[in-house]
Amino acid sequence: MVFYFTGTGNSLYAAKTLDKDIKSILHEISDGKKVYSYDKIGIVCPIYGHEMPKMVKKFIATNEFDTDYLYIVLTYRNRKADAAGADLFELTPVIPYTSDDLDWNDSNSRVSKEHENESLQNDVELVSTTVDNRESYDTVFIGYPIWWRYAAWPVNQFMTKNDFTGKTVIPFCTSMSSGLGNSAEKLRKMTKGGDWKEGMKFSSSPDMSEVESWAKSVVN
């Protein structure tokens, strides 16, 4: 058995490679104590701010694990964004999106309901919107997938919570079909300050040499 907490899917992917029997910590967590009995128990989660997410620590502290073998796997994406040689800040929803949530062909999926109801988009809360040493950055890349011709709305809270005055802002997106369109303009309108530059649209599975070439061209 593997218990996992994921924001963008990396920890979920890791959990699936470790065991066929997996459970979401988000679904398992409660105020009461539970006892989990398995031959082996794994816990997989990302690192937030150099430590496990608070929810995972609460899950471990609250429950009892009856097992001969307990292990923890922490996923961590390098803070350096290779293409631009930049520090990376990941926008992670408090309630992560599952593959079913992201099924835009299903009118009852989470993203479909949020698309139809803009107030639900504004309710998507992020684990953090605070960037350490933000004053030290002159240039900010804002990357996102395109959802219904606009930036995925989990980005919205980060944009509204931060002041980009005095900074160069460069948007980029990934999409299977739609272009950058008005997505960057919509983000700019909800953001305070920033010298916004022309952005770039990449395919859903871009050639990294293309991304690297573009990133270096706009910062040099």
Side-chain angles (χ1 to χ4, degrees):
M1 168 58 64
V2 172
F3 298 93
Y4 72 91
F5 173 79
T6 190
T8 61
N10 291 337
S11 293
L12 173 58
Y13 176 82
K16 288 180 176 179
T17 65
L18 293 169
D19 202 311
K20 293 181 179 179
D21 191 4
I22 62 175
K23 291 182 180 292
S24 168
I25 289 175
L26 278 171
H27 295 159
E28 291 295 315
I29 199 163
S30 66
D31 294 330
K33 178 180 177 180
K34 297 180 181 178
V35 178
Y36 296 100
S37 298
Y38 299 94
D39 293 337
K40 291 194 296 185
I41 295 178
I43 296 173
V44 182
C45 67
I47 293 176
Y48 290 161
H50 306 292
E51 61 181 357
M52 287 190 293
K54 292 180 180 179
M55 184 176 296
V56 178
K57 290 194 287 186
K58 177 183 177 181
F59 174 73
I60 294 173
T62 302
N63 299 294
E64 180 179 334
F65 303 94
D66 180 15
T67 181
D68 293 328
Y69 187 75
L70 176 66
Y71 64 96
I72 297 176
V73 175
L74 302 177
T75 60
Y76 179 67
R77 185 175 181 181
N78 194 324
R79 284 181 55 83
K80 289 294 180 181
D82 294 337
D87 289 335
L88 179 71
F89 184 82
E90 190 168 5
L91 307 183
T92 305
V94 171
I95 301 177
Y97 287 82
T98 67
S99 57
D100 288 338
D101 289 338
L102 294 171
D103 185 0
W104 57 273
N105 288 309
D106 179 0
S107 61
N108 291 314
S109 71
R110 178 179 173 184
V111 289
S112 293
K113 291 180 179 179
E114 290 172 344
H115 172 245
E116 293 298 324
N117 187 346
E118 191 169 333
S119 66
L120 295 178
Q121 300 176 20
N122 298 329
D123 289 339
V124 178
E125 184 180 359
L126 299 178
V127 171
S128 175
T129 60
T130 303
V131 179
D132 294 337
N133 302 315
R134 63 180 304 277
E135 67 281 353
S136 66
Y137 298 105
D138 297 321
T139 301
V140 180
F141 285 86
I142 303 294
Y144 50 87
I146 292 290
W147 289 358
W148 282 276
R149 301 188 302 279
Y150 292 108
W153 39 86
V155 179
N156 294 357
Q157 188 184 80
F158 178 78
M159 305 308 295
T160 58
K161 294 287 186 180
N162 286 278
D163 186 346
F164 294 88
T165 300
K167 303 184 186 299
T168 298
V169 182
I170 305 172
F172 67 97
C173 71
T174 57
S175 173
M176 291 188 295
S177 56
S178 302
L180 190 71
N182 295 323
S183 63
E185 178 63 15
K186 185 177 180 180
L187 291 179
R188 186 191 66 78
K189 288 181 177 179
M190 68 176 66
T191 302
K192 182 178 180 180
D195 178 17
W196 284 67
K197 302 299 184 183
E198 183 178 356
M200 175 65 76
K201 175 258 182 180
F202 297 98
S203 68
S204 297
S205 301
D207 183 327
M208 289 310 297
S209 62
E210 177 188 2
V211 178
E212 182 175 359
S213 177
W214 170 77
K216 289 181 177 179
S217 71
V218 295
V219 296
N220 293 330

